[in-house]
Amino acid sequence: MKPDSKVTMNAPLLSVFVSRIALAFAAFIILAVTAPSVQAQGIVVMVNGEPITTYDIEQRTKLITLTTRKVPTRQQALQELIDDRLKIKEAKKFGVDLSASDVDSAFAGMAQRMRISSDQLAQVLQAQGVRPDTMKFRLKADTAWGALVRGRFKQSLLVGERDVQAAVGENPSGERTESYEYHMRPIVLFVPRGSSGAVEQRKKEAEALRERIQSCEEATRVFKSLRQASIRDTIVKTSADLPPNLRELLDKTPVGRMTAPEVTRQGIEMVALCNRQVTTADTPAKRAARDKLFAQKYEAKSKSYLEDLRKRAMIEYKQK
């Protein structure tokens, strides 16, 4: 069965990759560096008939330096380039072939996670002498490879419940073992811009409504009738889906009541807790353990698979 070519790499792995880049960019935005033309570069190695030039190596070296804050050796940069070509070719062999628009979407997604536009991300890269295509090629290789490994070895990458329980152990952190399912309706009281004291006034209104309203049905009726207010559809989240501070807040909120008003960009926001019930879904500790075990299995399988590809590849060095 061929993996879906639209499938992206495992979210935790991609998240770590993006976080490293975001941190590195904050420290590395300096004067632009002009890269030499490809035509002026010589071929260093042929990988299954595909060339890697000195320019490619220079570009990858700059990208690695930018994303890791460490200057790699020439051989390390070259090995990454070789591996990426092997990954892309192997993925294509099994039907995972990312189009230019797929890669552009991945690039845009990276920029969005960094809270900047695609154009701004391109400018940041170019300021360091890294062409956007250099980053896109790496994204293409990582995304295609992630989809391939997870697709081909899906069964062997599954994490069993016993393994998760063993990893969590006897709950040494003292964290609760129960997981809850929360049914919530977000509420917003909009604040007119430029109104003096409007924020505090709306906050007082929210507090009064919070004291009065005793159920989600009443909250729906009241907030749908109010001007400059909105109550959204019910959303369902489990304990593992929520950050610790929000879990704690919802656990202290009686069912049918609302959380304390909070001033945000939208206005004054609250959450009406419609239901809270015990669920068999993962607790936060179990979710973290499951993600960690999956990442370990994925890394081991990815490493052995790539080593096998290197042995079978035709790699011809043209110059040292």
Side-chain angles (χ1 to χ4, degrees):
M1 182 176 180
K2 294 184 179 179
D4 188 347
S5 63
K6 299 295 183 182
V7 180
T8 56
M9 70 191 297
N10 180 264
L13 300 179
L14 182 58
S15 178
V16 171
F17 177 58
V18 172
S19 297
R20 288 176 180 172
I21 294 174
L23 289 171
F25 283 160
F28 276 86
I29 300 178
I30 56 174
L31 297 176
V33 178
T34 303
S37 64
V38 178
Q39 288 79 6
Q41 306 306 304
I43 296 176
V44 177
V45 62
M46 297 291 291
V47 182
N48 292 327
E50 295 185 31
I52 295 177
T53 68
T54 55
Y55 178 70
D56 294 329
I57 297 171
E58 290 168 7
Q59 281 286 293
R60 182 54 63 98
T61 299
K62 289 177 181 179
L63 180 59
I64 295 172
T65 302
L66 181 61
T67 57
T68 68
R69 301 188 186 185
K70 296 179 181 178
V71 180
T73 65
R74 186 173 186 273
Q75 185 56 39
Q76 287 172 334
L78 176 57
Q79 189 59 61
E80 271 202 10
L81 288 166
I82 292 173
D83 290 346
D84 282 355
R85 279 160 175 75
L86 295 177
K87 290 175 180 179
I88 290 173
K89 182 173 182 178
E90 184 72 2
K92 189 179 294 186
K93 174 182 172 183
F94 286 90
V96 184
D97 188 11
L98 274 67
S99 66
S101 61
D102 292 331
V103 178
D104 287 341
S105 294
F107 188 79
M110 174 180 288
Q112 186 176 20
R113 290 181 182 87
M114 296 169 64
R115 299 184 178 181
I116 59 177
S117 68
S118 295
D119 288 342
Q120 288 172 322
L121 176 54
Q123 290 169 9
V124 171
L125 289 168
Q126 289 169 339
Q128 302 306 307
V130 179
R131 295 174 67 245
D133 285 347
T134 298
M135 173 64 83
K136 289 181 180 181
F137 184 79
R138 183 172 177 177
L139 275 175
K140 180 177 182 178
D142 286 341
T143 304
W145 183 250
L148 174 64
V149 174
R150 288 184 296 109
R152 285 201 69 191
F153 306 103
K154 182 177 180 179
Q155 292 301 317
S156 64
L157 294 177
L158 291 176
V159 177
E161 190 62 27
R162 288 185 179 180
D163 294 331
V164 174
Q165 292 287 2
V168 174
E170 297 297 327
N171 198 26
S173 65
E175 184 180 343
R176 72 183 185 204
T177 56
E178 285 185 320
S179 181
Y180 291 97
E181 183 177 85
Y182 306 93
H183 295 242
M184 306 166 283
R185 296 200 70 171
I187 296 165
V188 181
L189 276 71
F190 301 107
V191 179
R193 293 184 179 180
S195 302
S196 178
V199 172
E200 285 304 316
Q201 179 60 36
R202 290 296 267 173
K203 191 172 182 181
K204 288 179 182 179
E205 292 177 27
E207 287 283 10
L209 290 167
R210 180 175 178 244
E211 288 297 321
R212 192 184 88 196
I213 293 173
Q214 303 291 317
S215 69
C216 273
E217 290 77 12
E218 186 179 3
T220 301
R221 185 171 61 254
V222 170
F223 285 101
K224 281 190 174 181
S225 65
L226 284 179
R227 296 182 62 186
Q228 297 296 313
S230 172
I231 182 166
R232 295 168 186 165
D233 292 338
T234 302
I235 59 174
V236 180
K237 298 287 184 181
T238 67
S239 299
D241 297 326
L242 303 174
N245 60 332
L246 184 52
R247 290 200 307 269
E248 184 178 356
L249 179 63
L250 291 173
D251 287 344
K252 291 179 179 178
T253 302
V255 173
R257 305 300 295 272
M258 295 181 291
T259 59
E262 181 182 358
V263 179
T264 70
R265 292 181 180 180
Q266 297 294 324
I268 309 300
E269 295 195 41
M270 299 180 288
V271 172
L273 180 62
C274 301
N275 193 18
R276 179 179 56 234
Q277 60 190 29
V278 176
T279 178
T280 57
D282 283 349
T283 63
K286 289 174 67 177
R287 174 73 63 84
R290 192 181 302 279
D291 287 344
K292 182 178 180 179
L293 290 170
F294 176 88
Q296 290 173 346
K297 285 192 170 188
Y298 173 90
E299 289 297 336
K301 180 61 69 175
S302 175
K303 182 179 180 181
S304 63
Y305 192 2
L306 191 53
E307 286 176 351
D308 183 58
L309 287 182
R310 288 173 187 155
K311 292 176 183 176
R312 294 187 283 110
M314 182 174 292
I315 301 174
E316 182 183 3
Y317 286 86
K318 299 294 184 179
Q319 57 175 283
K320 299 295 184 180

